[in-house]
Amino acid sequence: MRVVIQENYEKMCKWAADYIAAKINAHKEDRPFVLGLPTGSSPIGVYKELVRKNQAGELSFKNVVTFNMDEYLGLPREHDQSYWYFMHDNLFDHLTDMKPENINILNGMTDDPEAECAAYEAKIASYGGIDLFMGGIGVDGHLAFNEPFTSLSSRTGVRALTTDTRIVNSRFFGNDPEKVPAYALSVGIGTVTDSKEVLVLINGHNKARALAATVEGGVSQKWTCSALQLHPAAIIACDEAACGELTVDAYKYFLDIEKEERL
Ligand code: GLP
């Protein structure tokens, strides 16, 4: 696992966007580049930079297919807190050459969630899997909506949200946890770790415990993000603020090993 520590949130986002752009630009195969994407506040700066690069002609999404991580169950697309709305508002609507038919987001209004999730897995497989899955994590270490004690081999399915997560996410729902949907559709931990590469953003003091668990704890379904330790090509991009719970030797190790500029 690589842990790329950046001074602050802006630099973390710039690093992540540069990494993603370099991967897309280096992709020379006929088949599309398949990119997994998250929502939440963490990726917003990355999306801004990807949009800037795209509008400046430095990065094309013409040959990119995207799959989002998750969606609230029961929220229509038009709801301003749906992840469909978030992705269009923060990324897709601003890209010059993203093809709408290449955007995949789980349908939170489906009347057959199991079929919806099975079809999503099948569609990912039809492209030959995901090349790069970007993610964020919750304060309890959830990756997508895979809350503590979700199987580390889980696939796309319905997830119940914990009270903690509904409280954290209530900031987007008038500070009322009851207004946060109780269920979501989410890719599984296995879906994410099947990707060729995984890049997870972890920033801010409130994620310090989760970062330490991801990097230094044992692999455990209690911290579903810890499954990344078993992935052959996982990268954590983080800011200094999130490093507060790392041991000094781990912190120094990652600074040392990443001191040369590289992508
Ligand atoms: C939600 C999403 C996750 C996201 C997490 C963290 O619960 N389902 O995919 O990683 O929030 O959000 P934030 O980046 O706002 O801290």
Side-chain angles (χ1 to χ4, degrees), residues 109-118 185:
M109 294 304 283
T110 178
D111 49 17
D112 190 346
E114 284 187 13
E116 171 74 14
C117 295
L185 303 179

Side-chain angles (χ1 to χ4, degrees), residues 38-43 69-70 72 83 135-139 142-145 147 161 165 168-169 171-172 201 203 206-207:
T39 55
S41 43
S42 309
M69 287 194 138
D70 43 16
Y72 288 115
Y83 288 166
I137 60 171
V139 289
H142 69 246
L143 189 55
F145 265 129
E147 298 280 25
L161 271 53
T165 293
V168 172
N169 288 3
R171 66 193 193 280
F172 302 117
L201 310 169
N203 62 283
N206 62 338
K207 302 281 175 69

Side-chain angles (χ1 to χ4, degrees), residues 20-249:
I20 294 166
K23 289 286 166 176
I24 294 173
N25 284 335
H27 184 79
K28 302 288 179 228
E29 294 168 40
D30 283 344
R31 62 171 197 95
F33 185 86
V34 185
L35 181 63
L37 294 173
T39 55
S41 43
S42 309
I44 288 177
V46 180
Y47 291 151
K48 281 206 173 93
E49 178 61 12
L50 291 176
V51 167
R52 191 202 62 72
K53 287 179 192 299
N54 174 254
Q55 292 185 353
E58 298 164 20
L59 172 67
S60 168
F61 281 79
K62 226 178 346 197
N63 198 29
V64 176
V65 168
T66 63
F67 284 89
N68 261 82
M69 287 194 138
D70 43 16
E71 178 60 284
Y72 288 115
L73 197 54
L75 282 196
R77 288 174 165 194
E78 307 71 42
H79 191 290
D80 65 3
Q81 291 308 323
S82 81
Y83 288 166
W84 192 97
Y85 189 99
F86 174 97
M87 288 307 301
H88 286 76
D89 197 31
N90 286 284
L91 181 67
F92 299 134
D93 285 353
H94 309 286
L95 298 175
T96 59
D97 57 358
M98 182 76 209
K99 296 179 189 152
E101 64 270 26
N102 284 350
I103 298 170
N104 295 283
I105 302 177
L106 285 152
N107 175 12
M109 294 304 283
T110 178
D111 49 17
D112 190 346
E114 284 187 13
E116 171 74 14
C117 295
Y120 206 65
E121 285 278 340
K123 196 160 183 193
I124 292 172
S126 76
Y127 284 104
I130 290 176
D131 291 293
L132 172 61
F133 217 136
M134 174 164 71
I137 60 171
V139 289
D140 60 2
H142 69 246
L143 189 55
F145 265 129
N146 297 291
E147 298 280 25
F149 304 106
T150 305
S151 163
L152 300 186
S153 58
S154 51
R155 311 304 307 189
T156 305
V158 179
R159 302 288 188 271
L161 271 53
T162 63
T163 302
D164 282 355
T165 293
R166 293 178 77 195
I167 290 170
V168 172
N169 288 3
S170 67
R171 66 193 193 280
F172 302 117
F173 291 84
N175 291 317
D176 181 357
E178 287 298 314
K179 292 209 177 104
V180 181
Y183 294 92
L185 303 179
S186 173
V187 296
I189 293 293
T191 319
V192 176
T193 55
D194 271 1
S195 311
K196 294 182 191 80
E197 285 189 85
V198 185
L199 167 62
V200 174
L201 310 169
I202 306 184
N203 62 283
H205 292 283
N206 62 338
K207 302 281 175 69
R209 278 182 73 218
L211 175 61
T214 306
V215 178
E216 293 191 65
V219 175
S220 159
Q221 59 184 359
K222 185 167 178 179
W223 292 91
T224 53
C225 51
S226 66
L228 296 175
Q229 291 178 24
L230 298 176
H231 194 281
I235 304 179
I236 308 293
C238 62
D239 66 357
E240 284 282 348
C243 292
E245 298 282 336
L246 291 181
T247 55
V248 174
D249 59 344

